[in-house]
């Protein structure tokens, strides 16, 4: 239980990102990635509750988006998410995405939070992402693996239905440049893109550098 977890001190957070650290050797910005990971993640920490994190954000007047991802298909988890959102929704901008579509809709109905369709192209094949489904669904945004940008008709439908687009997980200059390349091709083909496009990453410090350099973000 959490009382037991609270006593655990994680001695090296970098171990959690071991897979990312190893994969970084494959990328042109390998040296920069490893430096950031070592400097920012090699430290002792404890496992915080979501409530503690949200209190910290409120105290620091955080105005950005917070995206909660429901990791398990259980009613207990859903109920806790609903309680959490309802406690902080007047102070923080909280969104939810998950693979559990019925749970998402229930969370939206009971909190008013924006919900997203989380999709990687393989999981939850009971729902097929198509332009028709996008047109008929009640989602506020779509959260897709960046490689799925190749599904151009779906991206057009997301744009036409005025939905925001979140792309994950962009963890290197390779992912970043390919994402921009595909977005440019889509714009050339359809002459429009979703008004708001967000990048989800494990290394925001580095990705933000690229965005500023290309004058895409300020």
């Amino acid at each position: 239980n959490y009382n037991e977890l609270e006593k655990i001190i994680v001695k090296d957070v970098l171990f959690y990102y071991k897979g990312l650290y190893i994969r970084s050797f494959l990328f042109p910005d390998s040296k920069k990635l490893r430096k950031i990971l070592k400097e920012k993640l090699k430290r002792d920490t404890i496992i915080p509750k979501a409530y503690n994190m949200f209190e910290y954000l409120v105290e620091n007047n955080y105005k950005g988006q917070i995206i909660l991802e429901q990791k398990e298909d259980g009613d207990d988890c859903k109920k806790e998410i609903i309680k959490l959102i309802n406690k902080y929704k007047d102070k923080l901008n909280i969104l939810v995405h998950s693979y559990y579509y019925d749970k998402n809709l229930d969370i939206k109905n009971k909190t008013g939070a924006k919900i997203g369709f989380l999709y990687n192209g393989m999981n939850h094949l009971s729902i097929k992402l198509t332009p028709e489904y996008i047109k008929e669904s009640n989602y506020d945004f779509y959260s897709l693996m960046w490689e799925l940008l190749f599904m151009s008709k779906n991206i057009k439908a997301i744009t036409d239905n005025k939905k925001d687009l979140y792309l994950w997980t962009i963890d290197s200059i390779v992912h970043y440049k390919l994402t921009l390349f595909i977005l440019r091709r889509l714009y050339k083909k359809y002459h429009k893109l979703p008004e708001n496009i967000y990048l989800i990453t494990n290394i925001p410090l580095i990705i933000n550098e690229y965005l500023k350099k290309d004058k895409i973000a300020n």
Side-chain angles (χ1 to χ4, degrees):
N1 59 39
Y2 184 75
N3 289 332
E4 295 168 325
L5 287 174
E6 198 172 24
K7 298 174 184 177
I8 297 174
I9 296 177
V10 183
K11 299 299 293 183
D12 187 353
V13 185
L14 184 60
F15 183 77
Y16 177 82
Y17 286 90
K18 185 177 180 181
L20 176 60
Y21 186 79
I22 293 172
R23 291 198 307 276
S24 73
F25 285 94
L26 301 174
F27 303 137
D29 48 356
S30 171
K31 187 175 181 180
K32 181 182 288 188
L33 285 172
R34 285 182 282 120
K35 181 181 178 183
I36 291 288
L37 289 171
K38 281 185 175 180
E39 288 179 354
K40 301 297 182 182
L41 299 176
K42 195 168 186 178
R43 62 186 64 173
D44 294 349
T45 187
I46 60 171
I47 302 168
K49 285 184 176 180
Y51 287 94
N52 296 336
M53 296 172 65
F54 280 25
E55 284 293 338
Y56 172 82
L57 294 172
V58 170
E59 290 172 4
N60 287 272
N61 198 31
Y62 182 73
K63 298 300 182 183
Q65 294 182 350
I66 301 169
I67 302 182
L68 289 176
E69 181 174 335
Q70 183 175 348
K71 289 290 191 180
E72 66 171 79
D73 187 16
D75 285 335
D76 288 343
C77 181
K78 182 188 71 173
K79 289 176 183 176
E80 287 301 318
I81 289 176
I82 290 171
K83 285 169 55 180
L84 182 67
I85 293 174
N86 281 332
K87 182 173 180 178
Y88 291 98
K89 65 183 181 182
D90 294 331
K91 301 176 181 178
L92 297 170
N93 183 15
I94 306 170
L95 298 76
V96 182
H97 70 183
S98 79
Y99 294 116
Y100 311 115
Y101 311 117
D102 57 333
K103 299 291 191 297
N104 260 7
L105 293 171
D106 196 30
I107 289 170
K108 180 175 182 175
N109 291 335
K110 293 178 179 177
T111 66
K114 291 183 178 181
I115 58 169
F117 184 103
L118 181 62
Y119 191 67
N120 64 9
M122 296 178 287
N123 289 3
H124 299 271
L125 297 178
S126 58
I127 295 180
K128 187 175 181 181
L129 187 62
T130 64
E132 291 73 26
Y133 183 84
I134 292 168
K135 183 178 180 180
E136 296 170 1
S137 69
N138 295 314
Y139 293 99
D140 300 294
F141 63 94
Y142 287 79
S143 186
L144 311 179
M145 286 182 67
W146 67 268
E147 294 97 327
L148 296 182
L149 285 172
F150 285 110
M151 301 169 66
S152 61
K153 290 183 179 179
N154 285 337
I155 305 303
K156 182 178 184 299
I158 290 170
T159 305
D160 291 343
N161 287 277
K162 295 180 171 56
K163 306 296 183 180
D164 289 346
L165 177 63
Y166 292 72
L167 300 171
W168 51 270
T169 303
I170 298 172
D171 280 345
S172 79
I173 187 68
V174 175
H175 301 156
Y176 171 76
K177 289 295 186 182
L178 284 173
T179 297
L180 294 188
F181 174 75
I182 302 170
L183 287 172
R184 289 189 186 102
R185 289 189 62 179
L186 288 171
Y187 185 79
K188 186 175 181 180
K189 182 176 182 178
Y190 296 116
H191 306 291
K192 56 184 176 179
L193 288 171
E195 182 177 354
N196 297 307
I197 300 175
Y198 300 90
L199 307 183
I200 297 176
T201 176
N202 287 306
I203 48 171
L205 289 170
I206 295 178
I207 297 302
N208 197 46
E209 284 184 17
Y210 299 148
L211 290 169
K212 287 183 176 179
K213 184 177 180 181
D214 290 335
K215 299 181 180 179
I216 296 174
N218 50 34

